[in-house]
Amino acid sequence: MELTLENYLAWMQDFAQKIADKKDYLSDLDSKIGDGDHGNNMARGLKAVSEALATKPADLTSALKVTAMALISKVGGAAGPLYGTAFLEMAKLSSKTVDLSELITAAAAGLQKRGGAQAGDKTMVDVWLPVRDNLKNSQLTSEKIEQAVNSTKQMEAKKGRASYLGERSVGHLDPGAVSSGYLFESMLQTGVIK
Amino acid sequence: MSYGILIVSHVPEIAAGVPKLLQQVATDVSITAAGGTDEQEIGTSLEKINQAIAANQADELLAFYDLGSARMNLEMAAEMTTKKIHLYDTALVESSYVAASLLQAGVALAAIEKQLEPLKIKGNN
Ligand SMILES: Nc1ncnc2c1ncn2[C@@H]1O[C@H](COP(=O)(O)OP(=O)(O)OP(=O)(O)O)[C@@H](O)[C@H]1O
Ligand SMILES: [Mg+2]
């Protein structure tokens, strides 16, 4: 499974579309345990990503870098530096390897370094870690992604805005986990994994 | 004075208001702030933080923030600048006030940090 400029562009186009379609749903989820802006933040960010990628980047590394910079500068919430760092780590590694599993492993590590979240803290990390592990064994499926997303429902938030709610955060999906679920659904659907 | 203060908040008005409180007791300390997103909405902007760092007259800054993404963007900005940024996980208003008064009085950084310690209230969220 290798990431190429072509499959990467298709992946991001599909992800941007999903985010645009689910913008209100993501913000609704965020209003239950956060500040209600995750959908708007992500839609603003992915619009910037689409615009930046509209002029075809020279190679995969610059495409990943352009994505990271757009997310970092346009999202406006925690998801900006988090997703941004993830893509930046992929950009850095992509000059050495384009193996998808290795890239996602580096991205997840960057995400954890930036936000300090561990498994079980009810954040997007709870989707990135199982995806990373399943990619390693070539066992990533749509069901596995859904399972990871749904697993955040019963968790008590330890990071991010939802952590201020303590146990009242239990019973709600984490919005960042849901948007990360879309990211990896897009990855499956656009043939990045064959 | 070699140390300055940097305030980062999710809200433009908080970022504008806190320096007013500090400047009253620290007339000689350079205090700059970044608040809200580029669209003046609630959130934080790396670009605004970069500008606030550049606009500060000091080259070593004590940085205070309110919530979540403010810290992450501050960390990113700290990685990008040549200025030295000290990031504190302390109560925004109280601790920045402590730092401002002590800097004005010429107190050394180590002593200021000692005073800030009991005001640590976050960093784990
Ligand atoms: N420290 C963290 N580590 C990992 N993920 C996090 C962390 N903090 C927040 N998140 C993720 O970010 C999502 C929220 O993104 P959003 O864009 O709404 O940011 P926000 O919380 O509104 O930002 P802000 O910190 O500016 O208030 C959460 O659902 C969670 O998945
Ligand atoms: Mg939010």
Side-chain angles (χ1 to χ4, degrees), chain A residues 30-31 34-39 41 77-78 161 175:
Chain A
D30 195 26
S31 64
D35 55 352
D37 61 3
H38 188 61
N41 288 348
R161 291 246 186 178

Side-chain angles (χ1 to χ4, degrees), chain A residues 21-183:
Chain A
D21 293 344
K22 300 290 187 177
K23 177 177 140 178
D24 293 343
Y25 174 60
L26 289 171
S27 284
D28 279 353
L29 289 175
D30 195 26
S31 64
K32 304 247 169 53
I33 54 169
D35 55 352
D37 61 3
H38 188 61
N40 291 303
N41 288 348
M42 290 302 287
R44 189 166 56 229
L46 269 299
K47 186 168 169 278
V49 169
S50 299
E51 284 165 9
L53 294 177
T55 354
K56 198 174 176 186
D59 52 29
L60 178 63
T61 298
S62 46
L64 287 162
K65 201 175 286 173
V66 157
T67 306
M69 294 331 278
L71 293 171
I72 288 166
S73 60
K74 289 293 171 209
V75 171
L82 288 165
Y83 276 106
T85 302
F87 280 89
L88 207 52
E89 290 302 318
M90 289 199 266
K92 280 191 219 158
L93 186 63
S94 66
S95 53
K96 291 198 201 82
T97 176
V98 292
D99 178 76
L100 186 64
S101 171
E102 288 190 42
L103 292 174
I104 296 295
T105 299
L111 201 64
Q112 284 195 281
K113 181 184 150 267
R114 183 65 65 207
Q118 303 297 324
D121 285 351
K122 197 184 183 91
T123 69
M124 56 177 77
V125 165
D126 291 305
V127 171
W128 281 76
L129 296 185
V131 164
R132 175 197 67 186
D133 295 342
N134 283 301
L135 273 176
K136 234 170 238 165
N137 316 323
S138 307
Q139 286 183 337
L140 187 66
T141 59
S142 190
E143 291 71 38
K144 294 252 172 67
I145 296 170
E146 205 183 312
Q147 240 175 44
V149 171
N150 288 333
S151 76
T152 63
K153 193 161 185 174
Q154 289 318 308
M155 294 173 183
E156 181 177 331
K158 301 287 183 212
K159 294 279 170 189
R161 291 246 186 178
S163 64
Y164 298 103
L165 290 180
E167 61 191 25
R168 287 191 197 85
S169 63
V170 175
H172 303 282
L173 288 172
D174 174 64
V178 175
S179 66
S180 294
Y182 297 149
L183 175 70

